[in-house]
Amino acid sequence: MTQSGERATGPAGRGDIRPPLGTSRDTSDPPRPHGRPTPLLSVVVPTYNERDALPLLVARMAEVTRGLPLELVIVDDASPDGTGAVADEAAKSSSVPITVVHRPGKTGLASAVLEGAAAARAPVVTVMDADLSHPPELLPALWQAIQGGADIAVASRYVPGGGVERWPLMRRLVSRVATFAAQGGLGLRVRDPLSGFFAVRRDLLTGYRYKGLGYKLLVEILATHPGRPVIEIPFRFVDRQRGKSKLGVEEILAFLRLLWYLRGRSS
Ligand SMILES: Nc1nc2c(ncn2[C@@H]2O[C@H](COP(=O)(O)OP(=O)(O)O)[C@@H](O)[C@H]2O)c(=O)[nH]1
Ligand SMILES: [Mg+2]
């Protein structure tokens, strides 16, 4: 693994968002007197062939998160379409501080998230797709949920107010069946345990050994920490307009293997 493209932005215009008084838990490191300011939120974005979507995500993120000191950690698996170079370019020009983690080959979404979390500097980590299915407008609310006392904040399609747009019927069906399997098989009460858009305290990602199999890291996090406070925030998932989904038979089989493993571990 190599990292590139790190750059710092100055503190001007940032740092306006504070935890609500009385309910907060201080998860932030003390400000550093010298060098780069420590971000309050690290957004980990795994990428594989997302050349067209990634610049749009970075631009939209910079616009909607003004006032929240965040960094972006892009984890690219040597995408054949050159997404890694696009990410390096974005790191040079964006107002958002960007770290790019380059991995030598496609090793899976969950493991990419874990490597991104290891490179993250903020005490809170959010995970999201590069393809704009996950609205960056929700980042401040996810961060606030963790500041307010949750250990895990899930952007949820399956709570009132949430939903899915432009997804083919088959994809909806697969998602629902997999969700029921995770809930029933592992006793999870979260309504959307398969969401790819969530925030956690960073130590929940870096302080434990996860299998990191396939696509669905959130399921493993929830199953590993059953008693932790979880908040679900509704959002409308919109199917990607650029590039192709990487969910295929291999990922579905990895998900079944993960369920099998987690179920065996808990019994
Ligand atoms: N680094 C890395 N990223 C991946 C891999 N598989 C998927 N991704 C990224 O993970 C995110 C979710 O994948 P996506 O194809 O959008 O899945 P879908 O939303 O379930 O259809 C996207 O940003 C992908 O580019 C992988 O093996 N490695
Ligand atoms: Mg996606």
Side-chain angles (χ1 to χ4, degrees):
M1 176 191 78
T2 59
Q3 283 183 28
S4 71
E6 281 200 31
R7 69 193 278 280
T9 55
R14 293 184 172 270
D16 299 329
I17 294 185
R18 302 244 161 83
L21 283 177
T23 57
S24 69
R25 169 194 304 176
D26 184 11
T27 53
S28 56
D29 296 332
R32 293 181 185 173
H34 302 293
R36 295 181 301 164
T38 305
L40 291 185
L41 176 68
S42 297
V43 182
V44 173
V45 178
T47 57
Y48 193 75
N49 288 348
E50 303 289 1
R51 183 183 59 191
D52 296 332
L54 187 62
L56 301 174
L57 174 72
V58 173
R60 198 160 133 199
M61 195 178 289
E63 198 167 313
V64 300
T65 56
R66 280 177 211 281
L68 175 59
L70 59 77
E71 67 167 358
L72 181 54
V73 181
I74 297 167
V75 186
D76 185 68
D77 281 3
S79 297
D81 76 345
T83 301
V86 172
D88 288 339
E89 213 37 58
K92 286 189 208 137
S93 58
S94 173
S95 62
V96 177
I98 298 178
T99 298
V100 187
V101 178
H102 293 279
R103 304 201 302 174
K106 191 169 185 314
T107 329
L109 198 163
S111 73
V113 170
L114 292 170
E115 285 206 38
R121 294 182 300 134
V124 180
V125 172
T126 300
V127 179
M128 68 191 296
D129 286 11
D131 57 14
L132 297 167
S133 288
H134 298 152
E137 288 77 4
L138 210 64
L139 289 171
L142 288 168
W143 179 79
Q144 284 281 1
I146 304 291
Q147 293 299 318
D151 282 348
I152 304 166
V154 180
S156 179
R157 297 162 294 183
Y158 303 139
V159 292
V164 169
E165 287 171 27
R166 294 205 303 253
W167 242 14
L169 188 63
M170 194 53 177
R171 193 67 211 265
R172 286 172 196 258
L173 210 66
V174 169
S175 175
R176 285 297 192 170
V177 170
T179 299
F180 286 131
Q183 289 168 329
L186 303 173
L188 300 177
R189 295 228 297 273
V190 170
R191 302 285 286 275
D192 194 358
L194 303 188
S195 179
F197 191 15
F198 58 92
V200 292
R201 293 194 301 113
R202 187 188 55 198
D203 55 16
L204 224 57
L205 286 175
T206 55
Y208 298 84
R209 288 180 75 84
Y210 294 102
K211 268 266 192 246
L213 260 177
Y215 239 50
K216 298 298 178 185
L217 184 64
L218 180 60
V219 171
E220 187 173 5
I221 297 172
L222 292 168
T224 307
H225 308 283
R228 302 285 186 124
V230 182
I231 286 183
E232 288 190 83
I233 300 173
F235 88 108
R236 297 197 72 77
F237 176 103
V238 183
D239 197 15
R240 59 162 73 234
Q241 286 187 299
R242 292 169 186 81
K244 285 195 191 122
S245 171
K246 282 93 212 171
L247 181 73
V249 176
E250 207 177 302
E251 283 73 23
I252 293 173
L253 292 177
F255 172 68
L256 294 175
R257 282 210 313 277
L258 179 65
L259 281 194
W260 188 255
Y261 161 76
L262 293 172
R263 207 175 142 71
R265 201 182 60 175
S266 67
S267 58

